Amino acid sequence: MRIIAHIDMDAFYAAVEERYHPEVRGRPVVVGADPKEGRGRGVVTTANYLARKYGIRSAMPISRAWRLAEAARARGEPEAVFLRGNRSLYREVSQRIMAILAKGADAFEEASIDEAYLDLSSRADFAQAEAHAKALKREILECEGLTCSVGIAPNKLVAKIASDFQKPDGLTVVRPEEVQTFLDPLRVRVIPGIGPKTEAFLDAKGIRTITELRAVGLPRLAEWFGRGGEDLYRKARGMSESLVSNEWEPKSVGEQETFESDTLEASFILEQARRLGAEVFRRVLAEGFRAFRTVTVTVRFADFVTTSRSRTSRVPLTSHQALNAEALRLLLPFLDARENPKKKKVRLIGVRVEKLVREDGVECRA
Ligand code: TTP
Ligand code: MG
């Protein structure tokens, strides 16, 4: 029998800000773009739980978050603090947390800056695994002053759903015989891989809970989702064999920027692309890689239509000049008739690299 834990930090960036800036502690905190008194562009990166009470959420336009905060203030509720964020600090704190989590696990997988999977199968039973998780939560609170939520289950899929079940500061244990009763009443959206589009599609068919999803036969799911149908069929039953892998590598490094105003001025856009490229390359090196093979450029137009173009080189690219050359080559068609015949203005650009190559020359899984 396998015992897997999934740990996810609570309101991670906002919680780190509260920890390092006592003056914002206890107030609603929003990390993201500059709100500029409601005229700001860009989005919310994360918000603490007090700010979430105002309806503020990750990925929401910062201008909307500002209006929600203003409305709360008008009702006499505490004023929200808007912060730009400090990624290198979050990365540092994350590395210390990962070191705590990795200790004593049979296998460890860093799944993102604030989440990890642990294989605890060598523990005698779920009660032992739960005791281990409680000790980890205590250590993270004592050493870093931060809370997290943990799910413990027979596999990664159910552990991830369980860690989200009682946030913040939660601990949810789902034993093998409890998996189906745990999942059944939940909304289909909790299943990793079901995003807003799939949720809306299923909703239109009257399928809202996992119980309802489980009532749909495999042929019908295959008809709707092709190869993904079988995956969904298994997920609805809490089935997943994927391993906790300590060979995890970040698959991509990227940066994006929303401009102050929409523009089609080539010199400005290319300069921003160079700046993003330099930052991406700096992070590639900082994360222990020496090269990459794929460069992707994303362009969001003023009407929010968003397009990406990628190119993969046969040989590893090892300099920021090479990154810039690729990025500019991919970007230029968006500035003229080739990819932008209507001369739409650009709202945002992004630069990302993938197929990263480690210092020791091993190429990471894409
Ligand atoms: P999450 O774990 O999704 O969110 P969270 O930790 O802020 O809140 P929760 O308590 O619900 O887990 O993401 C972790 C961090 O990653 C988050 O603090 C900010 C960052 N992040 C982004 O940079 N972009 C995004 O789109 C999201 C969702 C998160
Ligand atoms: Mg989190």
Side-chain angles (χ1 to χ4, degrees), residues 149-166:
S149 297
V150 182
I152 301 179
N155 61 50
K156 284 169 70 175
L157 169 73
V158 180
K160 179 158 171 85
I161 296 171
S163 72
D164 207 41
F165 186 65
Q166 299 185 62

Side-chain angles (χ1 to χ4, degrees), residues 282-322:
R282 192 193 63 72
R283 282 180 51 206
V284 165
L285 298 183
E287 291 183 24
F289 298 98
R290 62 173 182 80
F292 54 89
R293 291 202 299 124
T294 301
V295 178
T296 304
V297 161
T298 300
V299 174
R300 178 171 300 151
F301 293 106
D303 59 3
F304 281 84
V305 171
T306 307
T307 315
S308 293
R309 290 282 179 272
S310 289
R311 194 171 164 278
T312 299
S313 153
R314 268 184 302 111
V315 294
L317 304 175
T318 55
S319 69
H320 82 264
Q321 287 87 345

Side-chain angles (χ1 to χ4, degrees), residues 8-15 31 43-49 52 58-59 87 90 112-115 149 164 167-168:
D8 190 308
M9 302 304 297
D10 299 323
F12 184 52
Y13 291 3
V31 178
V43 295
V44 173
T45 308
T46 196
N48 70 0
Y49 282 74
R52 289 183 203 187
S58 294
R87 217 188 135 89
Y90 310 147
S112 81
I113 192 164
D114 89 323
E115 59 182 316
S149 297
D164 207 41
K167 258 185 172 293

Side-chain angles (χ1 to χ4, degrees), residues 184-205:
D184 273 347
L186 301 180
R187 307 198 54 96
V188 292
R189 183 66 197 272
V190 305
I191 296 178
I194 297 198
K197 277 190 195 157
T198 310
E199 183 186 30
F201 174 88
L202 291 171
D203 186 83
K205 308 232 177 269

Side-chain angles (χ1 to χ4, degrees), residues 2 26 43-45 56 68 79-80 90 110 171 201 213 228 231 239 266-267 278 298-299 316 326 335 351 353:
R2 293 203 299 153
V43 295
V44 173
T45 308
I56 299 173
L68 288 167
E79 192 174 342
Y90 310 147
E110 183 179 340
L171 173 58
F201 174 88
L213 180 59
D231 188 46
M239 294 157 75
S267 61
T298 300
V299 174
E326 287 293 335
L335 307 183
V351 175
V353 296

